[in-house]
Amino acid sequence: MSETSSLAHLSVSADGELTRRTHTEQPHAYRSPFARDNARVLHARAFRRLAGKTQVFTQAPGSKPGDHFRSRLTHTLEVAQIARTLATSLGLNVDLTETLALVHDIGHPPFGHAGEKALDHTLKPFGLSFDHNLHALRIVTWFEERYPAFRGLNLTLGVREGIIKHSRNYAPDDHPELAEYFLDLRPPLEAQLIDLADEIAYLTADIEDGIDSGIIEIDAVHAGVPLFRGFHSEAQSRFPNATPRVLAGEATRRMLNALVTDLLTHVRHRIQAEGILTLEAIRHAPNRLATFSPAMEAERMTAKRFLYANLYNSSDMEAIHAEAAKVIEELFAWFITNPDLLPEDHRAQVPAEGLARTVTDYIAGMTDSFIEQTWARLAL
Ligand code: MG
């Protein structure tokens, strides 16, 4: 199988079972069901709120100004770009892949992973937990209200399955409510690729933003991330007059390209080596087939460990994380004791969902600035 051979025979069909919607709709005259889902996600309120949500940080710690760090929205668009390249090159369903990329972070609360951790921690005493994939499903099946005929976006089964399963598996016994999503089967390649497109996007972008913010030094990345070092050294000798920032950017750009190329090559290799001929075979394979080569996987892990040690868990970020946890925990406790102050549409959910879940739904939907304002207004 050559580096450009098509896997179109493994692609999700634009008129098959995965195009089924909960509420039946007439087919569109000239747009595929997945192209329609793409538009529905893009036009959703929760999608627009990604602009106001932290990816890693929206402002550098300390006083260094910066207005070009990734938000969850621009991160999402970068994942969509990478996912589109992957799907196009492999001959898979591009509309479905891109939709899954656009929707992949829609369930994230404010304040990035610190916010997610804080919400999950706050829910523990209630015997509940917070999971951004499950929350994303709640958004698209219920909270979005745009259509008079139904609640939610009425997305196709293929998109809803991908929302749940792109980044992890859920045990059928633990999640009877997800029975519709073939939990005992692997997702199609279109969904499997999203998690890796996400990894490629944030590994490279976070190195760039980490350097730009001043939290990590170029020399430290050079020393600690071999994949970066190779491309950086090459760029340094080839472009001796380029600025350090441009050279670091060139190195991350080439890293991104190397990760994408490796993934494309390795997916094709595995499909051939494991004799996968149909989408059914992908679904029944013992493991996911979209993976990096072992050598690139080791590079990826080294880069990821570097980012955890030097950026995500750095002392610079600690204060930001602590502040995020404080705002979320205090606001949560405040709404638990004052449920009458929840917006009316959320209050209506309490009998069915319980108060703790309802408060979580409300907080998870907030942007960083909205939660800060709400918290300040309540003078906690
Ligand atoms: Mg992401």
Side-chain angles (χ1 to χ4, degrees):
M1 196 174 283
S2 84
E3 289 207 343
T4 52
S5 58
S6 172
L7 303 182
H9 58 293
L10 305 176
S11 152
V12 169
S13 158
D15 57 10
E17 130 182 79
L18 293 179
T19 63
R20 197 172 71 229
R21 299 185 190 277
T22 307
H23 307 275
T24 309
E25 294 181 46
Q26 290 302 311
H28 192 274
Y30 49 87
R31 290 190 301 153
S32 81
F34 299 125
R36 293 177 86 183
D37 281 5
N38 194 304
R40 288 178 190 200
V41 169
L42 200 65
H43 291 265
R45 281 164 42 135
F47 184 79
R48 292 197 291 282
R49 290 201 300 268
L50 294 173
K53 295 195 181 202
T54 292
Q55 175 65 14
V56 180
F57 42 76
T58 40
Q59 220 173 342
S63 55
K64 194 176 179 224
D67 54 5
H68 47 249
F69 302 120
R70 269 83 175 174
S71 66
R72 230 168 242 292
L73 179 63
T74 63
H75 158 73
T76 292
L77 297 176
E78 292 179 359
V79 175
Q81 181 269 317
I82 293 165
R84 198 179 168 85
T85 299
L86 292 169
T88 305
S89 168
L90 293 171
L92 298 172
N93 191 315
V94 177
D95 284 333
L96 172 59
T97 311
E98 193 179 73
T99 305
L100 291 177
L102 291 176
V103 80
H104 89 281
D105 269 353
I106 212 166
H108 270 288
F111 301 141
H113 285 283
E116 188 176 14
K117 228 168 102 184
L119 262 187
D120 190 54
H121 178 76
T122 316
L123 278 171
K124 282 271 140 62
F126 298 87
L128 301 170
S129 59
F130 183 80
D131 175 302
H132 72 92
N133 293 336
L134 299 178
H135 188 67
L137 191 67
R138 291 165 71 73
I139 290 173
V140 302
T141 56
W142 187 256
F143 286 113
E144 283 295 318
E145 286 186 278
R146 287 180 65 82
Y147 303 93
F150 44 75
R151 281 288 293 243
L153 302 177
N154 199 29
L155 300 177
T156 56
L157 178 58
V159 171
R160 284 177 286 126
E161 182 197 2
I163 287 174
I164 288 298
K165 286 157 67 177
H166 72 270
S167 62
R168 53 164 289 198
N169 303 318
Y170 292 82
D173 288 348
D174 298 341
H175 292 276
E177 80 282 9
L178 302 177
E180 196 184 350
Y181 304 115
F182 323 106
L183 293 188
D184 49 347
L185 300 178
R186 307 289 146 249
L189 281 180
E190 283 86 346
Q192 294 188 27
L193 288 169
I194 296 304
D195 195 39
L196 302 171
D198 187 23
E199 290 266 346
I200 295 171
Y202 80 70
L203 277 183
T204 51
D206 292 351
I207 288 177
E208 222 172 73
D209 282 359
I211 290 171
D212 260 0
S213 66
I215 302 178
I216 47 181
E217 300 288 338
I218 295 176
D219 289 350
V221 187
H222 187 102
V225 184
L227 188 60
F228 178 94
R229 177 161 66 240
F231 294 127
H232 192 234
S233 299
E234 235 176 87
Q236 279 174 320
S237 51
R238 196 162 155 215
F239 305 103
N241 299 322
T243 63
R245 188 175 63 80
V246 169
L247 289 174
E250 175 68 3
T252 51
R253 193 182 68 79
R254 292 196 198 186
M255 258 180 88
L256 192 157
N257 187 59
L259 286 157
V260 168
T261 306
D262 179 88
L263 179 55
L264 288 173
T265 310
H266 197 63
V267 170
R268 286 191 174 96
H269 166 75
R270 285 194 63 187
I271 295 289
Q272 187 176 40
E274 298 182 30
I276 301 292
L277 299 173
T278 62
L279 174 53
E280 271 317 287
I282 292 173
R283 284 197 169 287
H284 287 94
N287 299 107
R288 294 181 180 228
L289 290 156
T291 53
F292 295 106
S293 68
M296 189 57 91
E297 178 62 14
E299 297 278 9
R300 181 184 77 82
M301 285 311 295
T302 306
K304 196 165 170 161
R305 273 196 294 270
F306 174 88
L307 282 171
Y308 268 93
N310 296 280
L311 182 63
Y312 309 139
N313 296 333
S314 67
S315 53
D316 282 313
M317 294 294 291
E318 260 171 33
I320 296 179
H321 290 166
E323 171 73 10
K326 178 179 145 85
V327 170
I328 284 190
E329 281 162 21
E330 289 188 5
L331 204 58
F332 183 93
W334 194 86
F335 279 118
I336 291 286
T337 42
N338 300 278
D340 291 352
L341 294 168
L342 285 166
E344 203 184 320
D345 53 337
H346 282 277
R347 239 180 304 138
Q349 296 285 124
V350 176
E353 301 290 344
L355 183 56
R357 178 61 68 194
T358 302
V359 171
T360 304
D361 284 337
Y362 183 44
I363 289 178
M366 295 178 181
T367 60
D368 292 19
S369 59
F370 189 91
I371 194 171
E372 292 275 16
Q373 284 164 21
T374 308
W375 183 70
R377 186 161 48 84
L378 299 173
L380 293 164

